[in-house]
Each structure stands twice: as C-alpha cells, then as structure tokens.
Amino acid sequence: MNLLDRIRPLQLAMLAAGFFFSCESGTSSFDFDLENNTRVQLVELVLPSRSIFIDSLRTDNESRLIAGNYSDERFGSIKAEAYSEVTFVEGQIIYDTLQYDSLIVNLTIDNFLTNDPGFQASFSLHKLSEEFETSLVYLKENKMGIRAQIDSVSFPLIPTLDSQTQNVSFKANKWGRDIFTKITVDSVGQIINATVDNIALIPIEGNQTAISINLDSDSTELVLYSSYDTIAYETKFRLTSNNHSYISRVTTGNENNNMDDAAVFDMSDDSQLISSLFGVYNYVDLTPLQEFIASNKTLLINQAEINTSVQASSRDEVSEMRYYFYDEQYGFRGEGIFENAFLNAVLSNTAYLEGSSTLLVSEFNSEDEIYEQDITFFIESFANYYSEEGEFFANGLVLTPAEFVTLQESLLRNPSSTSIIIYATSIE
C-alpha cells in the first residue's frame, strides 16, 4: 500500500465533515471564528531555520537561460554559459532564389546582476561541437564543447526596481549567413529538418554582468530577413527546450569558502538568503511539527498553512517557492532524482487527493512580504504516516525557487522565517 492509499480515507472524511470553518485570526489568512468554535484550537509552530549549501543544480528543465559573470563578496563568483538548440518556427522558407539580408537576434532579459558601473553586457556566439542528448539530465556542471567564435555582441542594460523585463536586439550577420542555408525542405517545400543550429552564448573576458534570458517570451527569437527583387521576407527561429546553462562557481566568499555539498551552516551576519545562482537555500527543521503530532494523537486537522517571511530589501525576490524534504546526502532530491514525489516534497492539496505528483508552489505576496500556502493535506499525510509507521518521512524542508535557473534572491527574516499554523479539532 502506498502513501496515497493510506492518507485518502482520512482526507475524504475531512471533506465530508466540512473542514472549512468560519474563523478570524490576526496571524493567518484563514478566517476561523475561534470564540464560537470552542473545540477548534489554533497552534502556531515556529520552525528553526538555517542556511544550506547545495552545489549541484539541474538547469535543463527550465524556461530561462543564465549567461555571464558576477561576483559577490559573501559567496564568491560565477561564470555562466548558455546553450540552446535553434529551430525554425514560421515565415518564409528559404529558397535558392532568395537573397540574404540580415539576422536580428532578440532576447528578453527578465533580470540581471552586475559589477559593472556602466551596466554593460558582452558575449561571444559559438556553435556547439556536440548535439543535445534528450535522454540526459543536464546539471550546471555539464560544460559543452564549442567551436570557434562566429560573432560577438555588447549591449547596455537598464537598471530597474520592479523586475521589469527589457528586450535587447543585435545583428549577427556572420551567423545569419550560415543559418540561411540550413533549413532542409523536400521537392514540394515541406520542411524535413527545422533544426538549424546548436549555439552557445559565452561571456567575453572582462564582462561583469550575468543575465537571465526568458525563453517563454514571444520577444525571444531570431528573425532572418531575406528578399527577392523588391519583396522582403522574414523567417523566424526560436531557442528550444533543448537547452541548459553551465554555471561554474568559485566559492571563495566569506560565507561558503570550500564548503562541502549539502552542508548546513549559519551566515556570519545571521542573515538567511535563498540564491540558487550561488547554491544557497534555506533549511527548515520540522522538529516542532513532529513533536506536536506525536503529542496530539486525537486531533483532526481542519486546516493548515505554511508561512515564510521575507525581509524588506531592494532585491528582486524569488517569485515562487517550493518545499523539498531535506536529504542528508544531496540536500534534497528534486525532479529527475526522486522516484516518489510523496516522499520527497510537499505537494499541492489536490495532488494528495488525486494521486498526482504536483508540487506545492507558494507565490510571493509582495504586499505582506511573505510566502504563504495551504498545506492541510500535507499535514494530514504527515500525521497519518506517523500514526501507521511510527516514524516521520521527513525531518526537515529545503526551501528553493520553483524555477531553479533564476537570478532572483530572497532575503528571509531571521531567526525563524518559517512557521506552520494549524487549526485542529479534538476528537472525542
């Protein structure tokens, strides 16, 4: 019997009982009237939290690419290279009768970090010397082979305070002339092979800026212009889901100098930061939750939520958070590593009911500076497993961005950034 089979009867009983009570509370987004529901009690569990360094990072399953250089006195420096397949999307199929005019590369930059007072970013374009293997999992340390430089580009970025995206465009005519010959068509003009290249964007020596490229943006594309006589044509290409970012870290900063992978530590200034770029996440101890469940076996969990508080800062905060279970060897086991999502991460409420593996995603509330989410069915499954097995399937959580490939960073309140609020009814 799997975990879902064990927790479903109790969950369905909760639904039948109607667990959405009317309530009021100054510490929670739930709305219970505790004064008129004497059997309902509110318990706030403050969870101790520390920092955790996790060096490895999967970068091939995201909608963003990271490229560039950046240094931080606390954590060291990074160098990132972006790799992507390029494929035909739409527009004029290129024939021998057409004349090449130009290639314009358009990129949507949704975030950047820089040590350059002029906010300049400089990169070289290279073709890859190897193909993407769709069966492989690409981690940040997977550096791909490149060929000689085919083009270079330098552009300024505009500093923003509210995470506004910005679009940059540049010509790459040497590359464009090569792409001009790449689409394979049959005798009636049907496309046989739309993949035209595998490309790398690599920071030039002296570059001090790291950028995040949004691949979901309609504005991230390549546009090849060609013509016949006086008629102009456009042929559009996209960076595909066959991509990943190579990120080299030099951990010579004050906080994580040569630190072991999966090490739990305290920062020198007592701050707590989540930054996947530097491999720094937040470790949350579940001991208070375990003690509460072990000592209260006659409670029915009506509703529960998890809250993680953020300190006010000028950072571009992580927009969405996930809660993975702590693993002593790896720090946590993410997608591509775990086999049973129920035993590796906090799932959404509907996932526990439907038997899916949808992970809980907690969105950042910028007004209240908090991540908050309903975790009622997770708490029920956590307690139910302990009741049947006599042990807990998780001792801690690791808080990470929902999208690992990001330059966003969240500075958490310290100490005790995370709490679980539980509304429970005594069972007579």
Side-chain angles (χ1 to χ4, degrees), residues 264-311:
V264 177
F265 68 101
D266 296 307
M267 293 189 192
S268 58
D269 61 357
D270 292 328
S271 65
Q272 294 186 354
L273 180 72
I274 294 179
S275 172
S276 57
L277 183 67
F278 288 102
V280 180
Y281 305 93
N282 195 235
Y283 165 78
V284 174
D285 187 353
L286 288 179
T287 299
L289 176 60
Q290 294 175 338
E291 292 176 346
F292 171 77
I293 290 173
S295 60
N296 292 276
K297 297 182 180 179
T298 61
L299 290 179
L300 174 65
I301 307 300
N302 302 121
Q303 205 158 355
E305 67 176 12
I306 188 168
N307 298 320
T308 300
S309 301
V310 176
Q311 291 188 36

mmCIF file of all heavy atoms in Angstrom, residues 264-311:
data_model
loop_
_atom_site.group_PDB
_atom_site.id
_atom_site.type_symbol
_atom_site.label_atom_id
_atom_site.label_comp_id
_atom_site.label_asym_id
_atom_site.label_seq_id
_atom_site.Cartn_x
_atom_site.Cartn_y
_atom_site.Cartn_z
ATOM 1 N N VAL A 264 24.909 22.298 6.113
ATOM 2 C CA VAL A 264 24.013 23.236 6.773
ATOM 3 C C VAL A 264 24.874 24.183 7.604
ATOM 4 O O VAL A 264 25.747 23.751 8.356
ATOM 5 C CB VAL A 264 22.992 22.507 7.661
ATOM 6 C CG1 VAL A 264 22.103 23.502 8.400
ATOM 7 C CG2 VAL A 264 22.133 21.561 6.818
ATOM 8 N N PHE A 265 24.631 25.501 7.472
ATOM 9 C CA PHE A 265 25.528 26.447 8.116
ATOM 10 C C PHE A 265 24.778 27.725 8.502
ATOM 11 O O PHE A 265 23.623 27.926 8.111
ATOM 12 C CB PHE A 265 26.706 26.787 7.191
ATOM 13 C CG PHE A 265 26.328 27.572 5.959
ATOM 14 C CD1 PHE A 265 26.543 28.943 5.884
ATOM 15 C CD2 PHE A 265 25.745 26.935 4.861
ATOM 16 C CE1 PHE A 265 26.202 29.661 4.757
ATOM 17 C CE2 PHE A 265 25.393 27.648 3.723
ATOM 18 C CZ PHE A 265 25.626 29.023 3.671
ATOM 19 N N ASP A 266 25.435 28.560 9.266
ATOM 20 C CA ASP A 266 24.901 29.868 9.644
ATOM 21 C C ASP A 266 25.778 30.949 9.034
ATOM 22 O O ASP A 266 27.013 30.874 9.112
ATOM 23 C CB ASP A 266 24.877 30.033 11.163
ATOM 24 C CG ASP A 266 23.937 29.046 11.834
ATOM 25 O OD1 ASP A 266 22.763 28.985 11.422
ATOM 26 O OD2 ASP A 266 24.385 28.318 12.746
ATOM 27 N N MET A 267 25.158 31.961 8.430
ATOM 28 C CA MET A 267 25.927 33.059 7.862
ATOM 29 C C MET A 267 26.491 33.936 8.977
ATOM 30 O O MET A 267 25.928 34.020 10.070
ATOM 31 C CB MET A 267 25.054 33.890 6.926
ATOM 32 C CG MET A 267 24.631 33.132 5.681
ATOM 33 S SD MET A 267 23.830 34.220 4.481
ATOM 34 C CE MET A 267 23.164 32.993 3.349
ATOM 35 N N SER A 268 27.588 34.597 8.675
ATOM 36 C CA SER A 268 28.295 35.372 9.687
ATOM 37 C C SER A 268 27.469 36.545 10.213
ATOM 38 O O SER A 268 27.637 36.962 11.351
ATOM 39 C CB SER A 268 29.622 35.889 9.116
ATOM 40 O OG SER A 268 29.391 36.684 7.957
ATOM 41 N N ASP A 269 26.572 37.076 9.393
ATOM 42 C CA ASP A 269 25.763 38.213 9.829
ATOM 43 C C ASP A 269 24.357 37.789 10.264
ATOM 44 O O ASP A 269 23.467 38.627 10.427
ATOM 45 C CB ASP A 269 25.659 39.261 8.727
ATOM 46 C CG ASP A 269 24.994 38.710 7.463
ATOM 47 O OD1 ASP A 269 24.667 37.508 7.426
ATOM 48 O OD2 ASP A 269 24.805 39.490 6.511
ATOM 49 N N ASP A 270 24.157 36.464 10.440
ATOM 50 C CA ASP A 270 22.871 35.912 10.884
ATOM 51 C C ASP A 270 21.745 36.102 9.877
ATOM 52 O O ASP A 270 20.569 35.896 10.207
ATOM 53 C CB ASP A 270 22.443 36.524 12.234
ATOM 54 C CG ASP A 270 23.344 36.093 13.379
ATOM 55 O OD1 ASP A 270 23.849 34.962 13.318
ATOM 56 O OD2 ASP A 270 23.536 36.889 14.300
ATOM 57 N N SER A 271 22.064 36.480 8.651
ATOM 58 C CA SER A 271 21.028 36.601 7.629
ATOM 59 C C SER A 271 20.750 35.226 7.025
ATOM 60 O O SER A 271 21.508 34.270 7.228
ATOM 61 C CB SER A 271 21.457 37.577 6.533
ATOM 62 O OG SER A 271 22.579 37.075 5.833
ATOM 63 N N GLN A 272 19.639 35.133 6.291
ATOM 64 C CA GLN A 272 19.303 33.909 5.573
ATOM 65 C C GLN A 272 18.854 34.290 4.178
ATOM 66 O O GLN A 272 17.928 35.077 4.009
ATOM 67 C CB GLN A 272 18.212 33.128 6.305
ATOM 68 C CG GLN A 272 18.673 32.587 7.648
ATOM 69 C CD GLN A 272 17.641 31.697 8.303
ATOM 70 O OE1 GLN A 272 16.532 31.552 7.826
ATOM 71 N NE2 GLN A 272 18.014 31.091 9.416
ATOM 72 N N LEU A 273 19.550 33.748 3.177
ATOM 73 C CA LEU A 273 19.333 34.125 1.791
ATOM 74 C C LEU A 273 19.048 32.896 0.954
ATOM 75 O O LEU A 273 19.653 31.838 1.157
ATOM 76 C CB LEU A 273 20.568 34.846 1.240
ATOM 77 C CG LEU A 273 20.510 35.308 -0.223
ATOM 78 C CD1 LEU A 273 19.570 36.504 -0.362
ATOM 79 C CD2 LEU A 273 21.903 35.668 -0.727
ATOM 80 N N ILE A 274 18.112 33.026 0.023
ATOM 81 C CA ILE A 274 17.887 31.975 -0.970
ATOM 82 C C ILE A 274 18.386 32.495 -2.308
ATOM 83 O O ILE A 274 17.872 33.482 -2.840
ATOM 84 C CB ILE A 274 16.406 31.592 -1.056
ATOM 85 C CG1 ILE A 274 15.955 30.938 0.258
ATOM 86 C CG2 ILE A 274 16.151 30.644 -2.226
ATOM 87 C CD1 ILE A 274 14.496 30.533 0.277
ATOM 88 N N SER A 275 19.422 31.841 -2.851
ATOM 89 C CA SER A 275 20.010 32.236 -4.127
ATOM 90 C C SER A 275 20.498 30.976 -4.832
ATOM 91 O O SER A 275 21.557 30.441 -4.503
ATOM 92 C CB SER A 275 21.185 33.205 -3.926
ATOM 93 O OG SER A 275 21.868 33.430 -5.142
ATOM 94 N N SER A 276 19.725 30.487 -5.797
ATOM 95 C CA SER A 276 20.139 29.272 -6.499
ATOM 96 C C SER A 276 21.389 29.514 -7.334
ATOM 97 O O SER A 276 22.141 28.582 -7.620
ATOM 98 C CB SER A 276 19.001 28.750 -7.379
ATOM 99 O OG SER A 276 18.588 29.731 -8.304
ATOM 100 N N LEU A 277 21.635 30.763 -7.744
ATOM 101 C CA LEU A 277 22.843 31.069 -8.506
ATOM 102 C C LEU A 277 24.093 30.680 -7.724
ATOM 103 O O LEU A 277 25.043 30.136 -8.289
ATOM 104 C CB LEU A 277 22.880 32.557 -8.853
ATOM 105 C CG LEU A 277 24.059 33.027 -9.706
ATOM 106 C CD1 LEU A 277 23.965 32.428 -11.108
ATOM 107 C CD2 LEU A 277 24.102 34.543 -9.787
ATOM 108 N N PHE A 278 24.080 30.932 -6.415
ATOM 109 C CA PHE A 278 25.234 30.601 -5.581
ATOM 110 C C PHE A 278 25.021 29.334 -4.758
ATOM 111 O O PHE A 278 25.841 29.004 -3.902
ATOM 112 C CB PHE A 278 25.563 31.774 -4.654
ATOM 113 C CG PHE A 278 26.169 32.946 -5.370
ATOM 114 C CD1 PHE A 278 25.415 34.069 -5.675
ATOM 115 C CD2 PHE A 278 27.496 32.915 -5.784
ATOM 116 C CE1 PHE A 278 25.969 35.138 -6.348
ATOM 117 C CE2 PHE A 278 28.064 33.979 -6.461
ATOM 118 C CZ PHE A 278 27.295 35.098 -6.745
ATOM 119 N N GLY A 279 23.923 28.620 -5.008
ATOM 120 C CA GLY A 279 23.688 27.352 -4.327
ATOM 121 C C GLY A 279 23.318 27.491 -2.869
ATOM 122 O O GLY A 279 23.531 26.561 -2.085
ATOM 123 N N VAL A 280 22.755 28.623 -2.476
ATOM 124 C CA VAL A 280 22.395 28.858 -1.076
ATOM 125 C C VAL A 280 20.869 28.804 -0.948
ATOM 126 O O VAL A 280 20.157 29.571 -1.606
ATOM 127 C CB VAL A 280 22.914 30.218 -0.587
ATOM 128 C CG1 VAL A 280 22.520 30.450 0.868
ATOM 129 C CG2 VAL A 280 24.432 30.279 -0.746
ATOM 130 N N TYR A 281 20.395 27.898 -0.092
ATOM 131 C CA TYR A 281 18.968 27.720 0.126
ATOM 132 C C TYR A 281 18.676 27.808 1.621
ATOM 133 O O TYR A 281 19.561 28.086 2.426
ATOM 134 C CB TYR A 281 18.512 26.382 -0.460
ATOM 135 C CG TYR A 281 18.852 26.217 -1.924
ATOM 136 C CD1 TYR A 281 20.038 25.594 -2.324
ATOM 137 C CD2 TYR A 281 17.997 26.696 -2.915
ATOM 138 C CE1 TYR A 281 20.358 25.450 -3.670
ATOM 139 C CE2 TYR A 281 18.308 26.554 -4.260
ATOM 140 C CZ TYR A 281 19.491 25.934 -4.636
ATOM 141 O OH TYR A 281 19.809 25.807 -5.965
ATOM 142 N N ASN A 282 17.420 27.558 1.986
ATOM 143 C CA ASN A 282 17.016 27.674 3.381
ATOM 144 C C ASN A 282 16.613 26.301 3.913
ATOM 145 O O ASN A 282 15.765 25.624 3.318
ATOM 146 C CB ASN A 282 15.851 28.662 3.516
ATOM 147 C CG ASN A 282 15.619 29.113 4.938
ATOM 148 O OD1 ASN A 282 14.526 28.993 5.477
ATOM 149 N ND2 ASN A 282 16.648 29.642 5.571
ATOM 150 N N TYR A 283 17.234 25.903 5.019
ATOM 151 C CA TYR A 283 16.909 24.629 5.678
ATOM 152 C C TYR A 283 15.981 24.910 6.849
ATOM 153 O O TYR A 283 16.258 25.772 7.687
ATOM 154 C CB TYR A 283 18.177 23.941 6.171
ATOM 155 C CG TYR A 283 17.908 22.819 7.152
ATOM 156 C CD1 TYR A 283 17.463 21.581 6.706
ATOM 157 C CD2 TYR A 283 18.073 23.017 8.517
ATOM 158 C CE1 TYR A 283 17.190 20.555 7.600
ATOM 159 C CE2 TYR A 283 17.813 21.991 9.421
ATOM 160 C CZ TYR A 283 17.370 20.770 8.959
ATOM 161 O OH TYR A 283 17.092 19.759 9.839
ATOM 162 N N VAL A 284 14.867 24.179 6.913
ATOM 163 C CA VAL A 284 13.867 24.362 7.962
ATOM 164 C C VAL A 284 13.712 23.061 8.743
ATOM 165 O O VAL A 284 13.470 22.001 8.164
ATOM 166 C CB VAL A 284 12.507 24.792 7.361
ATOM 167 C CG1 VAL A 284 11.433 24.836 8.433
ATOM 168 C CG2 VAL A 284 12.639 26.151 6.687
ATOM 169 N N ASP A 285 13.863 23.143 10.051
ATOM 170 C CA ASP A 285 13.782 21.996 10.949
ATOM 171 C C ASP A 285 12.316 21.703 11.287
ATOM 172 O O ASP A 285 11.599 22.582 11.771
ATOM 173 C CB ASP A 285 14.574 22.302 12.223
ATOM 174 C CG ASP A 285 14.691 21.109 13.157
ATOM 175 O OD1 ASP A 285 14.047 20.073 12.898
ATOM 176 O OD2 ASP A 285 15.416 21.226 14.161
ATOM 177 N N LEU A 286 11.866 20.465 11.046
ATOM 178 C CA LEU A 286 10.477 20.087 11.294
ATOM 179 C C LEU A 286 10.246 19.499 12.684
ATOM 180 O O LEU A 286 9.157 18.982 12.959
ATOM 181 C CB LEU A 286 10.011 19.084 10.231
ATOM 182 C CG LEU A 286 9.783 19.629 8.825
ATOM 183 C CD1 LEU A 286 9.343 18.516 7.882
ATOM 184 C CD2 LEU A 286 8.767 20.757 8.814
ATOM 185 N N THR A 287 11.222 19.584 13.571
ATOM 186 C CA THR A 287 11.074 19.015 14.908
ATOM 187 C C THR A 287 9.837 19.533 15.646
ATOM 188 O O THR A 287 9.098 18.742 16.247
ATOM 189 C CB THR A 287 12.340 19.253 15.750
ATOM 190 O OG1 THR A 287 13.450 18.609 15.119
ATOM 191 C CG2 THR A 287 12.170 18.689 17.153
ATOM 192 N N PRO A 288 9.557 20.846 15.637
ATOM 193 C CA PRO A 288 8.336 21.306 16.328
ATOM 194 C C PRO A 288 7.064 20.661 15.789
ATOM 195 O O PRO A 288 6.138 20.364 16.557
ATOM 196 C CB PRO A 288 8.346 22.814 16.087
ATOM 197 C CG PRO A 288 9.794 23.149 15.904
ATOM 198 C CD PRO A 288 10.357 21.986 15.151
ATOM 199 N N LEU A 289 6.984 20.442 14.483
ATOM 200 C CA LEU A 289 5.813 19.784 13.904
ATOM 201 C C LEU A 289 5.753 18.328 14.345
ATOM 202 O O LEU A 289 4.674 17.811 14.677
ATOM 203 C CB LEU A 289 5.853 19.883 12.383
ATOM 204 C CG LEU A 289 4.735 19.160 11.621
ATOM 205 C CD1 LEU A 289 3.365 19.717 12.010
ATOM 206 C CD2 LEU A 289 4.951 19.260 10.123
ATOM 207 N N GLN A 290 6.891 17.652 14.337
ATOM 208 C CA GLN A 290 6.923 16.261 14.770
ATOM 209 C C GLN A 290 6.479 16.121 16.224
ATOM 210 O O GLN A 290 5.701 15.221 16.573
ATOM 211 C CB GLN A 290 8.336 15.694 14.588
ATOM 212 C CG GLN A 290 8.775 15.590 13.141
ATOM 213 C CD GLN A 290 10.223 15.141 13.010
ATOM 214 O OE1 GLN A 290 11.023 15.290 13.929
ATOM 215 N NE2 GLN A 290 10.568 14.595 11.859
ATOM 216 N N GLU A 291 6.965 17.007 17.080
ATOM 217 C CA GLU A 291 6.604 16.947 18.496
ATOM 218 C C GLU A 291 5.123 17.221 18.698
ATOM 219 O O GLU A 291 4.463 16.593 19.544
ATOM 220 C CB GLU A 291 7.456 17.947 19.279
ATOM 221 C CG GLU A 291 8.934 17.570 19.332
ATOM 222 C CD GLU A 291 9.786 18.616 20.020
ATOM 223 O OE1 GLU A 291 9.276 19.749 20.209
ATOM 224 O OE2 GLU A 291 10.947 18.322 20.351
ATOM 225 N N PHE A 292 4.566 18.166 17.921
ATOM 226 C CA PHE A 292 3.145 18.475 18.022
ATOM 227 C C PHE A 292 2.299 17.261 17.642
ATOM 228 O O PHE A 292 1.336 16.913 18.339
ATOM 229 C CB PHE A 292 2.811 19.667 17.124
ATOM 230 C CG PHE A 292 1.345 19.926 16.991
ATOM 231 C CD1 PHE A 292 0.635 20.542 18.010
ATOM 232 C CD2 PHE A 292 0.666 19.559 15.830
ATOM 233 C CE1 PHE A 292 -0.729 20.781 17.887
ATOM 234 C CE2 PHE A 292 -0.690 19.806 15.703
ATOM 235 C CZ PHE A 292 -1.391 20.409 16.729
ATOM 236 N N ILE A 293 2.644 16.608 16.552
ATOM 237 C CA ILE A 293 1.876 15.449 16.093
ATOM 238 C C ILE A 293 2.013 14.281 17.067
ATOM 239 O O ILE A 293 1.030 13.605 17.402
ATOM 240 C CB ILE A 293 2.335 15.043 14.675
ATOM 241 C CG1 ILE A 293 1.895 16.102 13.666
ATOM 242 C CG2 ILE A 293 1.791 13.670 14.286
ATOM 243 C CD1 ILE A 293 2.436 15.896 12.270
ATOM 244 N N ALA A 294 3.237 14.039 17.550
ATOM 245 C CA ALA A 294 3.471 12.913 18.456
ATOM 246 C C ALA A 294 2.714 13.057 19.772
ATOM 247 O O ALA A 294 2.321 12.060 20.389
ATOM 248 C CB ALA A 294 4.966 12.765 18.720
ATOM 249 N N SER A 295 2.491 14.292 20.196
ATOM 250 C CA SER A 295 1.849 14.522 21.491
ATOM 251 C C SER A 295 0.364 14.835 21.383
ATOM 252 O O SER A 295 -0.298 15.060 22.401
ATOM 253 C CB SER A 295 2.560 15.660 22.237
ATOM 254 O OG SER A 295 2.503 16.863 21.481
ATOM 255 N N ASN A 296 -0.172 14.859 20.163
ATOM 256 C CA ASN A 296 -1.595 15.179 19.971
ATOM 257 C C ASN A 296 -2.215 14.196 18.976
ATOM 258 O O ASN A 296 -2.488 14.548 17.826
ATOM 259 C CB ASN A 296 -1.770 16.610 19.467
ATOM 260 C CG ASN A 296 -1.396 17.646 20.489
ATOM 261 O OD1 ASN A 296 -2.189 18.017 21.355
ATOM 262 N ND2 ASN A 296 -0.158 18.130 20.404
ATOM 263 N N LYS A 297 -2.440 12.983 19.421
ATOM 264 C CA LYS A 297 -2.912 11.936 18.519
ATOM 265 C C LYS A 297 -4.430 11.945 18.341
ATOM 266 O O LYS A 297 -4.959 11.171 17.546
ATOM 267 C CB LYS A 297 -2.455 10.573 19.026
ATOM 268 C CG LYS A 297 -0.936 10.417 19.040
ATOM 269 C CD LYS A 297 -0.512 9.044 19.500
ATOM 270 C CE LYS A 297 1.014 8.906 19.501
ATOM 271 N NZ LYS A 297 1.465 7.589 19.959
ATOM 272 N N THR A 298 -5.139 12.802 19.068
ATOM 273 C CA THR A 298 -6.598 12.816 18.972
ATOM 274 C C THR A 298 -7.101 14.095 18.315
ATOM 275 O O THR A 298 -8.197 14.563 18.608
ATOM 276 C CB THR A 298 -7.226 12.690 20.374
ATOM 277 O OG1 THR A 298 -6.808 13.807 21.178
ATOM 278 C CG2 THR A 298 -6.828 11.391 21.025
ATOM 279 N N LEU A 299 -6.299 14.658 17.423
ATOM 280 C CA LEU A 299 -6.681 15.883 16.729
ATOM 281 C C LEU A 299 -7.080 15.599 15.294
ATOM 282 O O LEU A 299 -6.477 14.758 14.618
ATOM 283 C CB LEU A 299 -5.533 16.892 16.750
ATOM 284 C CG LEU A 299 -5.185 17.524 18.094
ATOM 285 C CD1 LEU A 299 -4.010 18.460 17.922
ATOM 286 C CD2 LEU A 299 -6.374 18.281 18.669
ATOM 287 N N LEU A 300 -8.094 16.285 14.831
ATOM 288 C CA LEU A 300 -8.450 16.299 13.421
ATOM 289 C C LEU A 300 -8.003 17.639 12.851
ATOM 290 O O LEU A 300 -8.422 18.693 13.326
ATOM 291 C CB LEU A 300 -9.963 16.137 13.234
ATOM 292 C CG LEU A 300 -10.477 16.269 11.789
ATOM 293 C CD1 LEU A 300 -9.933 15.142 10.925
ATOM 294 C CD2 LEU A 300 -11.995 16.278 11.760
ATOM 295 N N ILE A 301 -7.129 17.607 11.860
ATOM 296 C CA ILE A 301 -6.614 18.842 11.271
ATOM 297 C C ILE A 301 -7.674 19.437 10.358
ATOM 298 O O ILE A 301 -8.022 18.870 9.337
ATOM 299 C CB ILE A 301 -5.313 18.580 10.486
ATOM 300 C CG1 ILE A 301 -4.288 17.860 11.352
ATOM 301 C CG2 ILE A 301 -4.756 19.887 9.928
ATOM 302 C CD1 ILE A 301 -3.892 18.618 12.592
ATOM 303 N N ASN A 302 -8.214 20.579 10.761
ATOM 304 C CA ASN A 302 -9.218 21.254 9.937
ATOM 305 C C ASN A 302 -8.570 22.001 8.776
ATOM 306 O O ASN A 302 -9.069 21.984 7.657
ATOM 307 C CB ASN A 302 -10.027 22.233 10.776
ATOM 308 C CG ASN A 302 -10.716 21.567 11.951
ATOM 309 O OD1 ASN A 302 -10.477 21.932 13.097
ATOM 310 N ND2 ASN A 302 -11.544 20.574 11.684
ATOM 311 N N GLN A 303 -7.480 22.688 9.082
ATOM 312 C CA GLN A 303 -6.805 23.472 8.049
ATOM 313 C C GLN A 303 -5.418 23.846 8.549
ATOM 314 O O GLN A 303 -5.190 23.980 9.754
ATOM 315 C CB GLN A 303 -7.616 24.715 7.699
ATOM 316 C CG GLN A 303 -7.356 25.239 6.293
ATOM 317 C CD GLN A 303 -8.498 26.088 5.774
ATOM 318 O OE1 GLN A 303 -9.538 26.218 6.416
ATOM 319 N NE2 GLN A 303 -8.318 26.664 4.606
ATOM 320 N N ALA A 304 -4.489 24.003 7.609
ATOM 321 C CA ALA A 304 -3.115 24.351 7.979
ATOM 322 C C ALA A 304 -2.482 25.157 6.852
ATOM 323 O O ALA A 304 -2.826 25.003 5.683
ATOM 324 C CB ALA A 304 -2.302 23.094 8.263
ATOM 325 N N GLU A 305 -1.559 26.008 7.225
ATOM 326 C CA GLU A 305 -0.842 26.786 6.223
ATOM 327 C C GLU A 305 0.621 26.914 6.628
ATOM 328 O O GLU A 305 0.971 26.763 7.806
ATOM 329 C CB GLU A 305 -1.452 28.178 6.057
ATOM 330 C CG GLU A 305 -1.289 29.087 7.257
ATOM 331 C CD GLU A 305 -1.832 30.491 7.010
ATOM 332 O OE1 GLU A 305 -2.530 30.708 6.008
ATOM 333 O OE2 GLU A 305 -1.536 31.367 7.840
ATOM 334 N N ILE A 306 1.461 27.171 5.647
ATOM 335 C CA ILE A 306 2.886 27.420 5.890
ATOM 336 C C ILE A 306 3.201 28.838 5.448
ATOM 337 O O ILE A 306 2.736 29.299 4.404
ATOM 338 C CB ILE A 306 3.779 26.390 5.158
ATOM 339 C CG1 ILE A 306 5.236 26.546 5.598
ATOM 340 C CG2 ILE A 306 3.633 26.480 3.645
ATOM 341 C CD1 ILE A 306 6.124 25.388 5.160
ATOM 342 N N ASN A 307 3.957 29.548 6.282
ATOM 343 C CA ASN A 307 4.316 30.937 6.010
ATOM 344 C C ASN A 307 5.828 31.104 6.095
ATOM 345 O O ASN A 307 6.449 30.622 7.041
ATOM 346 C CB ASN A 307 3.664 31.874 7.042
ATOM 347 C CG ASN A 307 2.157 31.824 6.986
ATOM 348 O OD1 ASN A 307 1.581 31.770 5.910
ATOM 349 N ND2 ASN A 307 1.515 31.815 8.143
ATOM 350 N N THR A 308 6.403 31.780 5.138
ATOM 351 C CA THR A 308 7.822 32.123 5.168
ATOM 352 C C THR A 308 7.951 33.626 4.954
ATOM 353 O O THR A 308 7.535 34.154 3.918
ATOM 354 C CB THR A 308 8.605 31.364 4.084
ATOM 355 O OG1 THR A 308 8.475 29.957 4.303
ATOM 356 C CG2 THR A 308 10.080 31.741 4.121
ATOM 357 N N SER A 309 8.530 34.304 5.924
ATOM 358 C CA SER A 309 8.586 35.764 5.914
ATOM 359 C C SER A 309 9.882 36.264 5.284
ATOM 360 O O SER A 309 10.950 35.679 5.467
ATOM 361 C CB SER A 309 8.463 36.306 7.342
ATOM 362 O OG SER A 309 7.249 35.888 7.922
ATOM 363 N N VAL A 310 9.770 37.378 4.570
ATOM 364 C CA VAL A 310 10.886 37.974 3.846
ATOM 365 C C VAL A 310 11.195 39.347 4.426
ATOM 366 O O VAL A 310 10.286 40.105 4.776
ATOM 367 C CB VAL A 310 10.551 38.093 2.341
ATOM 368 C CG1 VAL A 310 11.672 38.795 1.587
ATOM 369 C CG2 VAL A 310 10.292 36.710 1.758
ATOM 370 N N GLN A 311 12.479 39.647 4.528
ATOM 371 C CA GLN A 311 12.869 40.988 4.956
ATOM 372 C C GLN A 311 12.748 41.961 3.788
ATOM 373 O O GLN A 311 13.019 41.603 2.637
ATOM 374 C CB GLN A 311 14.319 40.996 5.450
ATOM 375 C CG GLN A 311 14.546 40.265 6.750
ATOM 376 C CD GLN A 311 15.954 40.472 7.264
ATOM 377 O OE1 GLN A 311 16.517 41.548 7.111
ATOM 378 N NE2 GLN A 311 16.521 39.447 7.878
#
